[in-house]
Amino acid sequence: AASLRRVEVSFDYPTSCPIGPAKIATFCVSLTSAHLTKLQVLCVEGIKESGPGVLSLCAGLGSGKLSSLCELSLEKVCLESDAKALSKALNAQKLPSLRVLRLRYCSLTDNGLNALTDAWTNRPPPPLENLDLQGNELSDEGAESLVVFLASNRIPSLSKVNLLKNNTEDIDFRLRKVLPDVVEI
């Protein structure tokens, strides 16, 4: 396991499946292992309900053991009410190598995005180059908070932001003004 570089896992269980939460918790505990310190890519899909599964995932990510993680992809992981827990894990101290963050179809709301940007304002953010927020529940208001954050240049390495398939309509101009060559809306 010490040489493991990439992990892709799908928890696409029906919400009524009794073993789903136990399997999610077991996997998330493994993220705290010293044997995964060289892990570079982690893709997690299908944690359909907020609560214990997502909180366990956030605790594993925030353990500080994934210092080599370059790419984190969460797809269909319900962050609707747990984005604040994720924001505590996503910082330069715990994930110093993170370059790509994909939160796709994760029910991320404006409040969740605000939790991320607030955390990144108060603690050093990871050195992201690519922030992919496709298919969430972001509105122009949430995207506006992202514009304000990006204008602060707290993540100078950021070269691509994806907001496709959100509820954003009027924010195109402002985002393109802050990051003229990197924004997809």
Side-chain angles (χ1 to χ4, degrees):
S3 62
L4 193 62
R5 300 288 187 265
R6 180 180 188 94
V7 171
E8 295 182 26
V9 63
S10 178
F11 297 105
D12 208 10
Y13 300 106
T15 53
S16 60
C17 179
I19 63 166
K23 288 192 175 209
I24 293 168
T26 300
F27 170 75
C28 295
V29 166
S30 74
L31 295 177
T32 65
S33 167
H35 298 292
L36 292 178
T37 57
K38 295 191 191 270
L39 185 68
Q40 295 175 347
V41 178
L42 176 60
C43 303
V44 178
E45 180 180 353
I47 303 178
K48 296 176 183 175
E49 294 181 1
S50 58
V54 174
L55 295 174
S56 294
L57 175 62
C58 295
L61 291 170
S63 69
K65 303 290 185 180
L66 301 173
S67 59
S68 296
L69 191 68
C70 298
E71 181 178 328
L72 174 61
S73 294
L74 304 183
E75 188 159 333
K76 298 177 187 168
V77 172
C78 186
L79 296 175
E80 186 174 15
S81 60
D82 296 323
K84 188 168 187 166
L86 181 63
S87 73
K88 291 178 182 176
L90 296 177
N91 65 65
Q93 181 182 1
K94 295 177 182 175
L95 298 170
S97 301
L98 190 65
R99 301 290 187 267
V100 176
L101 176 60
R102 289 187 186 94
L103 304 177
R104 290 179 150 215
Y105 302 95
C106 289
S107 302
L108 184 67
T109 63
D110 293 344
N111 287 339
L113 182 58
N114 287 338
L116 283 173
T117 57
D118 287 349
W120 291 339
T121 299
N122 295 319
R123 291 184 300 269
L128 295 176
E129 296 170 1
N130 182 335
L131 177 60
D132 185 343
L133 302 173
Q134 180 173 320
N136 284 290
E137 298 173 10
L138 303 175
S139 70
D140 284 333
E141 182 181 323
E144 179 66 32
S145 72
L146 183 60
V147 167
V148 170
F149 173 74
L150 295 175
S152 73
N153 204 31
R154 293 274 299 157
I155 308 179
S157 56
L158 193 64
S159 62
K160 184 174 182 183
V161 176
N162 179 357
L163 291 174
L164 293 170
K165 299 185 180 180
N166 276 284
N167 299 319
T168 55
E169 294 175 16
D170 299 325
I171 204 67
D172 300 30
F173 176 75
R174 297 246 317 133
L175 272 171
R176 290 188 197 286
K177 189 173 180 182
V178 173
L179 295 169
D181 298 322
V182 298
V183 178
E184 293 180 41
I185 300 178

